[in-house]
Amino acid sequence: MIVEETLRQRYEGVKNEAGVWITPAFPKLIYVLEDDNVHENSPYFYLTQLAAKCTAKRMVPDYISEKKMRELKLSKGETAGNGDCYTCMGCRSFLTPDRSGNGFNNVANALNYDPNKPKYYGRFNQGVVTINLPDVALSSHQDMDKFWKIFDERLELCHRALLCRHERLMGTLSDAAPILWQYGALARLKKGETIDKLLVGGYSTISLGYAGLYECVKYMTGHSHTEKEGTPFAMAVMQRMNDKCAEWKAESDIDFSLYGTPLESTTYKFAKCLQRRFGIIPGVTDKGYITNSYHVHVSEEIDAFDKLKFEGMFQQLSPGGAISYVEVPNMQDNLKAVIRVMQYIYDNIMYAELNTKSDYCQVCGYDGEIKIVEDDGKLVWECPNCGNRDQEKMNVARRTCGYIGTQFWNQVEPRRSATACCISNSHPRPPRSEAPDLYSLFRTVLAHDEAPLAPPVRAELISSKGPGPRYGAAKLM
């Protein structure tokens, strides 16, 4: 009942200044696809139908496959297919499984501690540093031996930067944020006690991010990572980063994990830095952005189902966080196609979203997709019904990373959005991949900081097996 009402409320939306129901950006909702809700004869399939209707209009909920997640997220003593299902922190950052197998012996002093269950509530991430993969490739001048040498050097630079973040947090007193550290949001430590014991032993994670796998592979091999000539190299790059995380973890007892960085506005900054250093190289540096994490490039025509299947391989190699999208037009009159995609997600990929359009023109009342048009070399938003271009008189909602954005973006996002499309309104057809993401700031060409200590409090996991969250959502301990 609670799940149903949550979906109905989100489908309705929120009112704008004119009293019109529009798409809200928050909160983010995640719907768990399970054996008891994903098939037409499942007892809770009606909830999945409602979720599809909501996604087609409001872009949420997003979808976790319990089947795939329980194959990949294995706490100590668990076997493939019998692992854990839990939500992400923010848009895509996932905690590593509970390697203690018993809730880390209640190191956080939780009042609801159960030694027979893995622990996700209350755990957190210490931050991210991201490596610019195209920069590594271009610095090697297509010399494969030189590539791996530079790659290892850059990875070590990221390692050192991550340790700086970790060491900066060591010694922090619980008094710095009592709600987090003393009153149960993350822990119930004593006054004056440091948080040090929560920074090691796997209780919290720290992430090596990566960006631009497509451009890296394209430059080094001459092929996309979706092609048979490029895929092995792409997988080798991913494996090297995972191996380094495992090596660092063994050395320090800190849970390093590989993370598909949201990238946000840094996609533009990385691209411009590459152009300044290496010039314009067709297919590599000739865009105003680089591709998000492992994603298929926006220019490639690939079936939505093939895209999800292909990217699912890379989610296995991004244990610290990953997300995949398919871009769709208005699907409100074709919910069967939405459900078909959801069922495919259940069988093939751990975490994915459908990106549609949900806009409103306050001038003429048009409720549909506000178009992106070019005017004297600049991309602008325009109502296709009345021609309104006043951003103060329109509501536009787009997903620009794992979150929905309702503000207007720089020139990169509309330029990418203008080329992205995945499924027709009548049947699946060759799509263009998701547009890479947009809004934070990197500090250097090679690495970027994200806010530390991001607890899993932004996403609500909704499941037909119960009215509330299971793991990883906001909850006092």
Side-chain angles (χ1 to χ4, degrees):
M1 183 172 65
I2 295 176
V3 173
E4 182 175 357
E5 184 60 24
T6 299
L7 291 170
R8 291 190 186 282
Q9 290 287 337
R10 194 54 176 272
Y11 176 80
E12 187 174 30
V14 298
K15 288 184 178 180
N16 66 4
E17 298 88 341
V20 177
W21 296 97
I22 62 170
T23 297
F26 291 97
K28 179 180 172 75
L29 296 180
I30 294 175
Y31 185 86
V32 182
L33 297 169
E34 304 163 333
D35 186 60
D36 63 3
N37 67 21
V38 77
H39 306 294
E40 284 79 358
N41 59 352
S42 300
Y44 298 105
F45 185 67
Y46 74 96
L47 290 175
T48 299
Q49 291 176 305
L50 185 57
K53 182 180 177 181
C54 188
T55 290
K57 186 173 180 65
R58 301 300 183 194
M59 286 189 281
V60 294
D62 309 325
Y63 298 98
I64 282 177
S65 166
E66 181 186 58
K67 175 182 176 180
K68 299 303 294 184
M69 196 170 200
R70 295 189 69 187
E71 291 174 2
L72 301 177
K73 301 296 185 181
L74 307 178
S75 294
K76 184 178 179 181
E78 294 177 341
T79 57
N82 298 291
D84 303 328
C85 184
Y86 52 97
T87 191
C88 54
M89 300 179 289
C91 72
R92 72 187 69 191
S93 178
F94 280 94
L95 290 163
T96 52
D98 183 342
R99 58 176 159 118
S100 72
N102 65 0
F104 299 92
N105 295 309
N106 201 22
V107 67
N109 303 321
L111 298 181
N112 61 352
Y113 172 62
D114 184 341
N116 298 311
K117 291 183 178 180
K119 181 177 178 61
Y120 294 98
Y121 288 119
R123 294 173 59 198
F124 57 92
N125 180 267
Q126 299 178 40
V128 184
V129 173
T130 293
I131 187 167
N132 184 337
L133 294 176
D135 191 281
V136 176
L138 291 161
S139 298
S140 74
H141 304 290
Q142 295 181 316
D143 182 323
M144 197 62 75
D145 291 336
K146 191 173 182 181
F147 170 85
W148 293 111
K149 181 176 183 295
I150 294 171
F151 193 22
D152 285 343
E153 291 171 352
R154 300 284 176 84
L155 287 171
E156 183 53 32
L157 179 61
C158 290
H159 180 211
R160 289 166 53 197
L162 286 167
L163 287 177
C164 285
R165 298 182 67 85
H166 172 78
E167 289 163 6
R168 176 66 180 83
L169 293 170
M170 292 291 285
T172 299
L173 298 179
S174 64
D175 308 74
I179 291 177
L180 293 181
W181 308 117
Q182 296 176 2
Y183 303 151
L186 296 181
R188 293 187 182 275
L189 304 180
K190 297 176 181 178
K191 290 184 178 182
E193 187 177 0
T194 70
I195 68 170
D196 294 9
K197 62 185 180 181
L198 305 180
L199 302 176
V200 295
Y203 188 85
S204 60
T205 58
I206 193 165
S207 301
L208 169 65
Y210 64 97
L213 182 63
Y214 163 81
E215 288 83 0
C216 173
V217 175
K218 182 73 172 177
Y219 179 75
M220 294 302 296
T221 70
H223 297 276
S224 167
H225 63 323
T226 60
E227 299 176 291
K228 66 179 185 299
E229 297 88 351
T231 303
F233 179 69
M235 299 297 280
V237 169
M238 295 290 293
Q239 190 59 56
R240 178 65 67 96
M241 291 188 287
N242 273 279
D243 291 345
K244 284 295 180 181
C245 287
E247 177 185 317
W248 302 337
K249 175 180 174 180
E251 292 173 353
S252 62
D253 198 28
I254 302 168
D255 258 33
F256 291 89
S257 61
L258 190 61
Y259 171 69
T261 304
L263 209 55
E264 302 171 339
S265 285
T266 309
T267 186
Y268 175 78
K269 184 167 186 176
F270 269 14
K272 291 303 177 185
C273 288
L274 291 171
Q275 290 172 358
R276 285 196 297 270
R277 294 190 65 195
F278 303 105
I280 303 298
I281 302 172
V284 182
T285 65
D286 56 346
K287 305 290 191 301
Y289 54 86
I290 64 171
T291 305
N292 188 310
S293 60
Y294 57 75
H295 289 168
V296 176
H297 194 266
V298 296
S299 64
E300 289 193 33
E301 291 198 351
I302 181 172
D303 181 274
F305 301 100
D306 289 342
K307 181 179 189 291
L308 291 170
K309 182 73 171 179
F310 176 79
E311 292 186 350
M313 297 189 302
F314 292 88
Q315 286 200 357
Q316 296 182 47
L317 293 170
S318 277
I323 192 170
S324 290
Y325 310 139
V326 291
E327 302 286 336
V328 301
N330 186 339
M331 301 291 287
Q332 293 184 66
D333 295 326
N334 193 9
L335 296 182
K336 288 184 178 179
V338 176
I339 290 174
R340 179 68 189 94
V341 173
M342 292 161 59
Q343 290 170 333
Y344 194 83
I345 290 169
Y346 174 73
D347 285 323
N348 293 278
I349 193 166
M350 187 183 78
Y351 182 35
E353 301 171 335
L354 283 77
N355 290 344
T356 186
K357 312 297 187 294
S358 183
D359 308 327
Y360 178 77
C361 176
Q362 298 177 21
V363 173
C364 68
Y366 172 76
D367 185 4
E369 179 182 354
I370 300 293
K371 299 295 185 180
I372 301 167
V373 299
E374 188 163 353
D375 186 358
D376 195 24
K378 183 178 181 181
L379 296 180
V380 296
W381 301 88
E382 179 181 273
C383 173
N385 188 53
C386 71
N388 170 36
R389 293 187 177 183
D390 186 349
Q391 294 182 2
E392 298 297 320
K393 296 180 180 179
M394 61 175 68
N395 299 96
V396 174
R398 293 289 188 277
R399 198 190 307 277
T400 48
C401 51
Y403 295 125
I404 296 172
T406 54
Q407 305 297 318
F408 291 91
W409 300 266
N410 59 31
Q411 286 292 294
V412 180
E413 171 59 22
R415 194 168 297 277
R416 289 203 234 74
S417 295
T419 65
C421 180
C422 265
I423 305 179
S424 76
N425 198 32
S426 57
H427 62 279
R429 71 175 186 185
R432 299 186 191 277
S433 154
E434 68 102 303
D437 312 321
L438 303 175
Y439 0 97
S440 67
L441 295 174
F442 269 59
R443 308 289 163 81
T444 71
V445 175
L446 302 177
H448 105 97
D449 294 333
E450 288 189 356
L453 305 174
V457 298
R458 303 183 205 173
E460 182 76 0
L461 189 70
I462 53 179
S463 161
S464 60
K465 291 181 178 174
R470 281 199 245 158
Y471 299 116
K475 180 178 181 181
L476 289 181
M477 300 156 46

